[in-house]
Amino acid sequence: WGSLHGSVLGIEAALPDGTLLDTLSTVRKDNTGLDLKQLFIGSEGSLGVITKVAIAAPRKPKAVDVCVVACASFPQVLQAVATARQHLAEILSALELLDEASFTLVLSTFPDLVRNPMEGTHPFYLLIETSGSRAEHDQEKLEGFLEAVMSDGSVVDGVLAADSTQAKSLWKLREKVPLAIAAAPAVFKYDISVPQKDMYSLVEATRSRLASLPAASVFGYGHLGDGNLHLNVTSPSADGEAVLAALEPFVYEWTASKRGSVSAEHGIGQMKRAFLHLSKPPEAIALMRQIKKVFDPKGILNPGKLLPDE
């Protein structure tokens, strides 16, 4: 349901000196000075401890529909996405991408939980969900979308869930991907965001880079609607060090070349501190350090996280 930066209305936070900062407003519009709550979102506990939060929660939709469509190429995926935005507009609530490697891995790992809803396999799959208030209206729009993408050739096959049970089954195809990948001896996970048109180029570039390590497998899936790619690589334990050396800093530098983010959802923590400069310029990192010193001059909150060593 979107970014926390948009849904958090206010917070209460305990600062390092014991001060309780109360910005726990629930109003939608407030242009009275600096929006301090935004500093805490994504600060990873380095500025204060959030003790209360007011969140704008969306109403549970009365009608939810799910379909999965297959595409023969990534340009066709992008064409289908453009058509989805045009036809589904305000009821479009999810656009999830799976490549063939991710899709077939889920099928082979969880044969008792998921099944292939189509004949054969295809290079790409899109899971599309709509959420609205009138089932008849939403289904009409979704059927119009399916007719359009089948007619223009951007989609080669597709299936529409007939009820909530089928909808949950289709969602499992996407939700079980991380669990299927986690079964490998060595797993390397990257959570990046780039312009939508460049999302799958990183997967292809990673496969090319790992060509000399044929036991490594590369998977691309994620939140296509937000340009958020989950790039996962698996390998036998014996190849782990060689795979990691090939992946880092390559993945982060490639992402930076597209002016993307090295961490779309999961923050910086300890593992990505050395790569923060690839998403933020020196001036921004310097300001982050100054803000940290204003809030926490003694450096007692979550030390060793987020900011790289000086």
Side-chain angles (χ1 to χ4, degrees):
W1 294 102
S3 169
L4 280 176
H5 284 284
S7 58
V8 171
L9 300 176
I11 65 164
E12 177 189 89
L15 304 184
D17 65 358
T19 300
L20 196 62
L21 177 66
D22 182 358
T23 65
L24 203 63
S25 171
T26 59
V27 298
R28 279 284 192 177
K29 299 180 75 172
D30 179 10
N31 289 300
T32 53
L34 298 178
D35 191 358
L36 294 176
K37 69 176 181 292
Q38 296 293 346
L39 291 177
F40 289 85
I41 301 172
S43 66
E44 303 184 21
S46 63
L47 302 183
V49 178
I50 296 175
T51 50
K52 294 180 182 179
V53 59
I55 296 179
R59 290 185 179 275
K60 185 177 181 179
K62 294 181 179 179
V64 176
D65 291 286
V66 176
C67 72
V68 172
V69 297
C71 301
S73 68
F74 193 67
Q76 289 182 343
V77 168
L78 297 179
Q79 185 179 345
V81 168
T83 305
R85 294 193 185 281
Q86 178 183 3
H87 281 256
L88 304 176
E90 78 286 351
I91 64 170
L92 184 61
S93 55
L95 270 172
E96 296 290 312
L97 174 73
L98 296 88
D99 65 4
E100 186 174 8
S102 304
F103 187 83
T104 55
L105 181 66
V106 170
L107 294 179
S108 62
T109 306
F110 302 107
D112 296 330
L113 289 178
V114 296
R115 65 176 184 83
N116 189 345
M118 305 175 198
E119 292 292 330
T121 59
H122 303 276
F124 296 96
Y125 296 87
L126 267 178
L127 184 146
I128 298 171
E129 180 189 77
T130 62
S131 301
S133 58
R134 284 202 306 120
E136 298 82 2
H137 168 267
D138 296 355
Q139 287 168 4
E140 182 181 344
K141 296 188 78 167
L142 194 53
E143 289 168 1
F145 157 74
L146 290 171
E147 182 179 343
V149 291
M150 295 295 272
S151 297
D152 67 19
S154 58
V155 163
V156 295
D157 202 354
V159 59
L160 175 62
D163 52 38
S164 61
T165 300
Q166 288 188 13
K168 289 177 182 177
S169 295
L170 292 179
W171 262 113
K172 285 180 182 177
L173 291 167
R174 165 62 179 87
E175 292 171 341
K176 294 297 182 183
V177 175
L179 293 176
I181 289 172
V187 182
F188 306 89
K189 296 191 173 190
Y190 299 92
D191 162 50
I192 62 100
S193 62
V194 291
Q196 195 177 73
K197 65 181 178 63
D198 298 316
M199 269 185 68
Y200 206 71
S201 297
L202 176 56
V203 181
E204 295 169 334
T206 302
R207 287 191 178 127
S208 296
R209 188 168 178 84
L210 295 177
S212 61
L213 296 164
S217 299
V218 182
F219 304 88
Y221 64 100
H223 315 299
L224 183 61
D226 298 326
N228 181 189
L229 172 70
H230 296 309
L231 173 70
N232 288 187
V233 178
T234 63
S235 76
S237 298
D239 293 343
E241 290 187 9
V243 171
L244 181 60
L247 290 172
E248 296 181 11
F250 167 74
V251 169
Y252 298 126
E253 290 175 345
W254 191 98
T255 301
S257 74
K258 305 297 181 182
R259 297 189 67 86
S261 170
V262 300
S263 185
E265 293 182 315
H266 302 298
I268 297 298
Q270 299 179 76
M271 294 181 67
K272 297 180 183 177
R273 293 168 64 206
F275 306 112
L276 181 62
H277 70 282
L278 294 174
S279 285
K280 293 289 187 288
E283 297 81 5
I285 295 176
L287 280 173
M288 290 183 196
R289 293 191 195 282
Q290 293 177 39
I291 292 169
K292 167 70 171 172
K293 289 176 182 177
V294 169
F295 279 83
D296 185 19
K298 296 182 180 179
I300 63 174
L301 281 185
N302 214 13
K305 314 297 192 305
L306 186 61
L307 293 171
D309 295 329
E310 293 190 68

